[in-house]
Amino acid sequence: MNLGYIKLDKPKKGILNKLCFYIRKTFNLVYKDKLIKENYYICNLKDESKEKLIKLLKKNEIDYILTENGIDINYKKLNGSFALKYMIPEVVKYCFKLIHPKMEEIFICTNNFTNENVQIIKDLASYVKVVNIISSNSRYVVLEKDLERSGIYITVNNNKRTSLKKANIIVNLDFKDLKNYSVSRNMIIIDVSNKFNIDKGFDGIYIKGIKIGTEKVMRVFGEYENFEKEQLIESEMLKIEKYNMVRDYIRMNKFEIKEVIGERRIELGEFDRMKRLIS
């Protein structure tokens, strides 16, 4: 994945450097740093400059951008959805702490059998007492038996009438919707797919991103001091890519959940309401 860090250009010392800066500013020029190729500079915030920057980003196939505070570019930005995928166990624990369910139980919806999904399931099984896999993929039935031999217990089911009927917390890895399943309209859905369609009657909590923090002083904070720390942390995760290595990185830096996000920030009062409904 290609990331671009957008900075506002500033004049450097020296007459020639200042002259070059004012030329760039006058003609609304944008450019890519020759040494740090992830960095892009915009000389002012005029629409013409923003349009030129967007063209340059598309030309260089930049997937997502991070911007200095005060810069607003109409381009895909990191929003906590990737961090959510890597920190599902922490998000589940965050939810448990707030709603106090009678049983620590989750339901994972997935039909795609991938190494990453298997690692996520194993990881959750070490955090949560009861892990239920909802899937039509028979390979998960084989996985259930293989994990049992290793002392890891999950259940696999795909009964559309009963499998999700009593679910309080669902982790959706790749389902597009739950329209064929009998479900409660009051539950928590942790969605990492970015393609999930919420039913109109849903009245629960829908989580699709997180804001995270750490008390550690990270190198990247110094390199990009005027950027949002949550986005910088997420970008560092994306550079690592491999799930298990990102999980090690999370533990090493002791990242914590600050907020969970749906279509907007989800207030703690929403979890209080959910707690009353499931008690």
Side-chain angles (χ1 to χ4, degrees):
M1 183 175 294
N2 296 321
L3 301 174
Y5 296 76
I6 314 303
K7 294 186 173 187
L8 189 62
D9 198 11
K10 296 174 183 177
K12 298 178 176 67
K13 292 181 179 180
I15 295 174
L16 183 59
N17 285 332
K18 289 181 179 178
L19 178 62
C20 290
F21 168 78
Y22 285 111
I23 290 172
R24 292 194 297 268
K25 188 174 182 180
T26 301
F27 291 97
N28 304 312
L29 300 180
V30 299
Y31 65 97
K32 179 180 179 180
D33 195 303
K34 292 181 180 179
L35 296 177
I36 307 175
K37 295 182 179 180
E38 296 173 323
N39 290 352
Y40 291 79
Y41 289 87
I42 186 169
C43 298
N44 59 52
L45 300 178
K46 294 180 181 179
D47 289 342
E48 185 177 344
S49 296
K50 292 180 180 181
E51 289 170 7
K52 287 181 178 180
L53 179 61
I54 289 171
K55 286 181 181 179
L56 181 60
L57 294 169
K58 288 181 177 178
K59 178 182 176 183
N60 291 325
E61 298 180 338
I62 298 300
D63 298 297
Y64 292 89
I65 63 169
L66 297 83
T67 60
E68 274 188 325
N69 296 328
I71 299 177
D72 184 21
I73 305 293
N74 186 20
Y75 204 88
K76 282 187 178 180
K77 301 177 182 68
L78 297 180
N79 59 6
S81 61
F82 295 104
L84 172 64
K85 180 180 71 172
Y86 294 122
M87 293 188 69
I88 296 174
E90 286 78 12
V91 177
V92 168
K93 288 178 71 176
Y94 178 90
C95 293
F96 281 158
K97 185 177 179 180
L98 292 174
I99 66 172
H100 299 291
K102 294 177 182 177
M103 179 183 294
E104 291 193 354
E105 181 177 24
I106 60 168
F107 296 77
I108 303 173
C109 297
T110 176
N111 282 324
N112 298 334
F113 191 89
T114 66
N115 287 333
E116 185 171 79
N117 283 356
V118 170
Q119 290 302 323
I120 289 171
I121 290 166
K122 288 181 179 179
D123 213 3
L124 282 167
S126 68
Y127 278 80
V128 182
K129 291 180 180 178
V130 182
V131 174
N132 305 285
I133 310 301
I134 311 304
S135 181
S136 60
N137 191 327
S138 60
R139 296 180 71 181
Y140 281 110
V141 177
V142 177
L143 177 68
E144 177 184 14
K145 295 175 181 177
D146 289 344
L147 291 181
E148 186 175 348
R149 284 192 283 270
S150 303
I152 301 172
Y153 299 95
I154 64 174
T155 62
V156 179
N157 192 354
N158 196 44
N159 187 308
K160 292 178 172 58
R161 188 173 59 85
T162 61
S163 61
L164 289 173
K165 198 168 185 178
K166 296 181 179 180
N168 290 322
I169 297 180
I170 289 175
V171 176
N172 178 52
L173 299 184
D174 49 64
F175 276 24
K176 292 182 179 179
D177 55 56
L178 296 174
K179 64 182 181 181
N180 294 321
Y181 290 81
S182 295
V183 296
S184 167
R185 60 195 297 267
N186 298 300
M187 60 180 172
I188 297 173
I189 299 176
I190 301 168
D191 176 40
V192 302
S193 72
N194 279 321
K195 298 175 182 177
F196 189 77
N197 295 313
I198 293 288
D199 186 82
K200 290 181 180 179
F202 181 73
D203 195 32
I205 295 175
Y206 174 56
I207 299 172
K208 65 176 184 179
I210 56 174
K211 286 192 175 183
I212 52 182
T214 178
E215 293 184 2
K216 294 190 70 173
V217 179
M218 299 177 65
R219 170 191 51 79
V220 71
F221 295 164
E223 293 176 355
Y224 298 95
E225 59 183 357
N226 293 321
F227 286 66
E228 293 292 334
K229 289 182 179 179
E230 294 93 346
Q231 292 185 359
L232 292 173
I233 292 171
E234 189 170 22
S235 70
E236 293 298 291
M237 291 180 181
L238 287 171
K239 290 174 186 176
I240 299 170
E241 291 185 346
K242 290 187 177 180
Y243 178 81
N244 283 341
M245 292 177 67
V246 178
R247 289 296 300 161
D248 289 339
Y249 181 73
I250 290 166
R251 285 186 282 264
M252 179 181 70
N253 287 286
K254 298 180 180 179
F255 295 140
E256 296 179 341
I257 309 293
K258 293 171 63 178
E259 294 177 8
V260 291
I261 304 165
E263 298 302 329
R264 52 175 173 72
R265 174 186 174 185
I266 299 170
E267 302 290 344
L268 294 180
E270 286 291 296
F271 289 95
D272 289 336
R273 181 178 67 86
M274 195 62 53
K275 180 181 176 180
R276 291 192 297 271
L277 289 170
I278 68 172
S279 60

mmCIF file of all heavy atoms in Angstrom, residues 97-118:
data_model
loop_
_atom_site.group_PDB
_atom_site.id
_atom_site.type_symbol
_atom_site.label_atom_id
_atom_site.label_comp_id
_atom_site.label_asym_id
_atom_site.label_seq_id
_atom_site.Cartn_x
_atom_site.Cartn_y
_atom_site.Cartn_z
ATOM 1 N N LYS A 97 -15.558 -4.560 28.603
ATOM 2 C CA LYS A 97 -15.390 -3.728 29.798
ATOM 3 C C LYS A 97 -16.556 -2.760 29.984
ATOM 4 O O LYS A 97 -16.941 -2.449 31.113
ATOM 5 C CB LYS A 97 -14.067 -2.958 29.689
ATOM 6 C CG LYS A 97 -13.708 -2.148 30.924
ATOM 7 C CD LYS A 97 -12.358 -1.474 30.751
ATOM 8 C CE LYS A 97 -11.999 -0.631 31.977
ATOM 9 N NZ LYS A 97 -10.675 0.032 31.793
ATOM 10 N N LEU A 98 -17.126 -2.315 28.869
ATOM 11 C CA LEU A 98 -18.183 -1.314 28.931
ATOM 12 C C LEU A 98 -19.586 -1.908 29.069
ATOM 13 O O LEU A 98 -20.470 -1.285 29.659
ATOM 14 C CB LEU A 98 -18.129 -0.416 27.691
ATOM 15 C CG LEU A 98 -16.912 0.511 27.600
ATOM 16 C CD1 LEU A 98 -16.882 1.237 26.264
ATOM 17 C CD2 LEU A 98 -16.918 1.525 28.747
ATOM 18 N N ILE A 99 -19.793 -3.113 28.521
ATOM 19 C CA ILE A 99 -21.162 -3.662 28.570
ATOM 20 C C ILE A 99 -21.324 -4.815 29.567
ATOM 21 O O ILE A 99 -22.454 -5.200 29.886
ATOM 22 C CB ILE A 99 -21.627 -4.128 27.170
ATOM 23 C CG1 ILE A 99 -20.804 -5.324 26.672
ATOM 24 C CG2 ILE A 99 -21.566 -2.982 26.164
ATOM 25 C CD1 ILE A 99 -21.351 -5.948 25.393
ATOM 26 N N HIS A 100 -20.223 -5.377 30.062
ATOM 27 C CA HIS A 100 -20.260 -6.446 31.051
ATOM 28 C C HIS A 100 -21.237 -7.561 30.685
ATOM 29 O O HIS A 100 -22.240 -7.795 31.392
ATOM 30 C CB HIS A 100 -20.635 -5.889 32.438
ATOM 31 C CG HIS A 100 -19.677 -4.881 32.963
ATOM 32 N ND1 HIS A 100 -18.399 -5.197 33.361
ATOM 33 C CD2 HIS A 100 -19.812 -3.533 33.132
ATOM 34 C CE1 HIS A 100 -17.777 -4.107 33.772
ATOM 35 N NE2 HIS A 100 -18.608 -3.065 33.633
ATOM 36 N N PRO A 101 -21.008 -8.273 29.574
ATOM 37 C CA PRO A 101 -21.932 -9.353 29.194
ATOM 38 C C PRO A 101 -21.882 -10.504 30.202
ATOM 39 O O PRO A 101 -20.885 -10.677 30.912
ATOM 40 C CB PRO A 101 -21.401 -9.798 27.826
ATOM 41 C CG PRO A 101 -19.942 -9.472 27.872
ATOM 42 C CD PRO A 101 -19.837 -8.204 28.679
ATOM 43 N N LYS A 102 -22.950 -11.272 30.268
ATOM 44 C CA LYS A 102 -22.987 -12.407 31.184
ATOM 45 C C LYS A 102 -21.904 -13.425 30.845
ATOM 46 O O LYS A 102 -21.350 -14.080 31.722
ATOM 47 C CB LYS A 102 -24.369 -13.069 31.135
ATOM 48 C CG LYS A 102 -25.483 -12.177 31.670
ATOM 49 C CD LYS A 102 -26.836 -12.857 31.542
ATOM 50 C CE LYS A 102 -27.948 -11.944 32.044
ATOM 51 N NZ LYS A 102 -29.296 -12.558 31.874
ATOM 52 N N MET A 103 -21.632 -13.567 29.554
ATOM 53 C CA MET A 103 -20.589 -14.487 29.107
ATOM 54 C C MET A 103 -19.701 -13.775 28.089
ATOM 55 O O MET A 103 -20.206 -13.064 27.210
ATOM 56 C CB MET A 103 -21.199 -15.740 28.463
ATOM 57 C CG MET A 103 -20.163 -16.739 27.950
ATOM 58 S SD MET A 103 -20.908 -18.167 27.124
ATOM 59 C CE MET A 103 -21.751 -18.940 28.500
ATOM 60 N N GLU A 104 -18.401 -13.938 28.216
ATOM 61 C CA GLU A 104 -17.477 -13.356 27.242
ATOM 62 C C GLU A 104 -17.483 -14.236 25.990
ATOM 63 O O GLU A 104 -16.740 -15.217 25.881
ATOM 64 C CB GLU A 104 -16.073 -13.224 27.832
ATOM 65 C CG GLU A 104 -15.979 -12.186 28.926
ATOM 66 C CD GLU A 104 -14.554 -11.837 29.284
ATOM 67 O OE1 GLU A 104 -13.624 -12.481 28.759
ATOM 68 O OE2 GLU A 104 -14.359 -10.911 30.097
ATOM 69 N N GLU A 105 -18.348 -13.871 25.066
ATOM 70 C CA GLU A 105 -18.575 -14.675 23.864
ATOM 71 C C GLU A 105 -18.631 -13.756 22.642
ATOM 72 O O GLU A 105 -19.236 -12.684 22.690
ATOM 73 C CB GLU A 105 -19.878 -15.444 23.994
ATOM 74 C CG GLU A 105 -20.210 -16.339 22.819
ATOM 75 C CD GLU A 105 -21.479 -17.142 23.049
ATOM 76 O OE1 GLU A 105 -22.328 -16.707 23.865
ATOM 77 O OE2 GLU A 105 -21.639 -18.194 22.410
ATOM 78 N N ILE A 106 -17.988 -14.172 21.554
ATOM 79 C CA ILE A 106 -18.069 -13.407 20.315
ATOM 80 C C ILE A 106 -18.416 -14.334 19.151
ATOM 81 O O ILE A 106 -18.226 -15.556 19.224
ATOM 82 C CB ILE A 106 -16.750 -12.666 19.990
ATOM 83 C CG1 ILE A 106 -15.590 -13.656 19.835
ATOM 84 C CG2 ILE A 106 -16.443 -11.603 21.019
ATOM 85 C CD1 ILE A 106 -14.354 -13.029 19.244
ATOM 86 N N PHE A 107 -18.897 -13.716 18.083
ATOM 87 C CA PHE A 107 -19.275 -14.431 16.871
ATOM 88 C C PHE A 107 -18.514 -13.793 15.708
ATOM 89 O O PHE A 107 -18.625 -12.586 15.478
ATOM 90 C CB PHE A 107 -20.784 -14.335 16.650
ATOM 91 C CG PHE A 107 -21.596 -15.004 17.721
ATOM 92 C CD1 PHE A 107 -21.770 -14.396 18.956
ATOM 93 C CD2 PHE A 107 -22.182 -16.235 17.491
ATOM 94 C CE1 PHE A 107 -22.520 -15.006 19.951
ATOM 95 C CE2 PHE A 107 -22.938 -16.854 18.476
ATOM 96 C CZ PHE A 107 -23.098 -16.245 19.707
ATOM 97 N N ILE A 108 -17.743 -14.608 14.997
ATOM 98 C CA ILE A 108 -16.924 -14.109 13.890
ATOM 99 C C ILE A 108 -17.545 -14.549 12.576
ATOM 100 O O ILE A 108 -17.722 -15.748 12.322
ATOM 101 C CB ILE A 108 -15.477 -14.645 13.982
ATOM 102 C CG1 ILE A 108 -14.861 -14.271 15.335
ATOM 103 C CG2 ILE A 108 -14.635 -14.104 12.838
ATOM 104 C CD1 ILE A 108 -13.496 -14.901 15.569
ATOM 105 N N CYS A 109 -17.889 -13.581 11.734
ATOM 106 C CA CYS A 109 -18.519 -13.874 10.448
ATOM 107 C C CYS A 109 -17.487 -13.827 9.336
ATOM 108 O O CYS A 109 -16.910 -12.763 9.048
ATOM 109 C CB CYS A 109 -19.625 -12.862 10.167
ATOM 110 S SG CYS A 109 -20.980 -12.917 11.353
ATOM 111 N N THR A 110 -17.246 -14.957 8.711
ATOM 112 C CA THR A 110 -16.271 -15.010 7.618
ATOM 113 C C THR A 110 -16.533 -16.200 6.708
ATOM 114 O O THR A 110 -16.830 -17.303 7.180
ATOM 115 C CB THR A 110 -14.829 -15.089 8.146
ATOM 116 O OG1 THR A 110 -13.929 -15.223 7.048
ATOM 117 C CG2 THR A 110 -14.626 -16.268 9.093
ATOM 118 N N ASN A 111 -16.412 -15.968 5.413
ATOM 119 C CA ASN A 111 -16.451 -17.056 4.434
ATOM 120 C C ASN A 111 -15.118 -17.225 3.714
ATOM 121 O O ASN A 111 -14.864 -18.257 3.104
ATOM 122 C CB ASN A 111 -17.564 -16.806 3.402
ATOM 123 C CG ASN A 111 -18.944 -17.147 3.946
ATOM 124 O OD1 ASN A 111 -19.100 -18.099 4.711
ATOM 125 N ND2 ASN A 111 -19.946 -16.366 3.570
ATOM 126 N N ASN A 112 -14.283 -16.190 3.780
ATOM 127 C CA ASN A 112 -12.977 -16.257 3.114
ATOM 128 C C ASN A 112 -11.970 -16.934 4.035
ATOM 129 O O ASN A 112 -11.707 -16.439 5.135
ATOM 130 C CB ASN A 112 -12.479 -14.852 2.756
ATOM 131 C CG ASN A 112 -13.410 -14.144 1.782
ATOM 132 O OD1 ASN A 112 -14.129 -14.793 1.025
ATOM 133 N ND2 ASN A 112 -13.408 -12.827 1.804
ATOM 134 N N PHE A 113 -11.420 -18.037 3.579
ATOM 135 C CA PHE A 113 -10.440 -18.764 4.384
ATOM 136 C C PHE A 113 -9.048 -18.286 3.985
ATOM 137 O O PHE A 113 -8.512 -18.671 2.950
ATOM 138 C CB PHE A 113 -10.573 -20.270 4.157
ATOM 139 C CG PHE A 113 -9.791 -21.104 5.145
ATOM 140 C CD1 PHE A 113 -10.368 -21.502 6.344
ATOM 141 C CD2 PHE A 113 -8.481 -21.471 4.884
ATOM 142 C CE1 PHE A 113 -9.652 -22.265 7.257
ATOM 143 C CE2 PHE A 113 -7.761 -22.238 5.793
ATOM 144 C CZ PHE A 113 -8.348 -22.631 6.982
ATOM 145 N N THR A 114 -8.468 -17.422 4.796
ATOM 146 C CA THR A 114 -7.135 -16.871 4.524
ATOM 147 C C THR A 114 -6.252 -17.061 5.747
ATOM 148 O O THR A 114 -6.749 -17.251 6.871
ATOM 149 C CB THR A 114 -7.201 -15.369 4.198
ATOM 150 O OG1 THR A 114 -7.647 -14.657 5.373
ATOM 151 C CG2 THR A 114 -8.165 -15.092 3.040
ATOM 152 N N ASN A 115 -4.940 -16.991 5.541
ATOM 153 C CA ASN A 115 -4.011 -17.114 6.666
ATOM 154 C C ASN A 115 -4.254 -16.019 7.702
ATOM 155 O O ASN A 115 -4.198 -16.271 8.907
ATOM 156 C CB ASN A 115 -2.566 -17.043 6.160
ATOM 157 C CG ASN A 115 -2.149 -18.295 5.425
ATOM 158 O OD1 ASN A 115 -2.676 -19.378 5.685
ATOM 159 N ND2 ASN A 115 -1.206 -18.171 4.509
ATOM 160 N N GLU A 116 -4.531 -14.815 7.215
ATOM 161 C CA GLU A 116 -4.760 -13.702 8.140
ATOM 162 C C GLU A 116 -6.014 -13.931 8.971
ATOM 163 O O GLU A 116 -6.011 -13.715 10.188
ATOM 164 C CB GLU A 116 -4.871 -12.385 7.372
ATOM 165 C CG GLU A 116 -4.999 -11.171 8.285
ATOM 166 C CD GLU A 116 -4.886 -9.870 7.526
ATOM 167 O OE1 GLU A 116 -5.889 -9.470 6.898
ATOM 168 O OE2 GLU A 116 -3.807 -9.258 7.548
ATOM 169 N N ASN A 117 -7.098 -14.386 8.348
ATOM 170 C CA ASN A 117 -8.327 -14.658 9.096
ATOM 171 C C ASN A 117 -8.119 -15.751 10.137
ATOM 172 O O ASN A 117 -8.652 -15.677 11.243
ATOM 173 C CB ASN A 117 -9.454 -15.039 8.145
ATOM 174 C CG ASN A 117 -10.043 -13.838 7.425
ATOM 175 O OD1 ASN A 117 -9.670 -12.699 7.684
ATOM 176 N ND2 ASN A 117 -10.958 -14.084 6.501
ATOM 177 N N VAL A 118 -7.352 -16.761 9.774
ATOM 178 C CA VAL A 118 -7.054 -17.841 10.725
ATOM 179 C C VAL A 118 -6.269 -17.290 11.912
ATOM 180 O O VAL A 118 -6.541 -17.633 13.069
ATOM 181 C CB VAL A 118 -6.287 -18.983 10.034
ATOM 182 C CG1 VAL A 118 -5.766 -19.987 11.068
ATOM 183 C CG2 VAL A 118 -7.178 -19.692 9.023
#
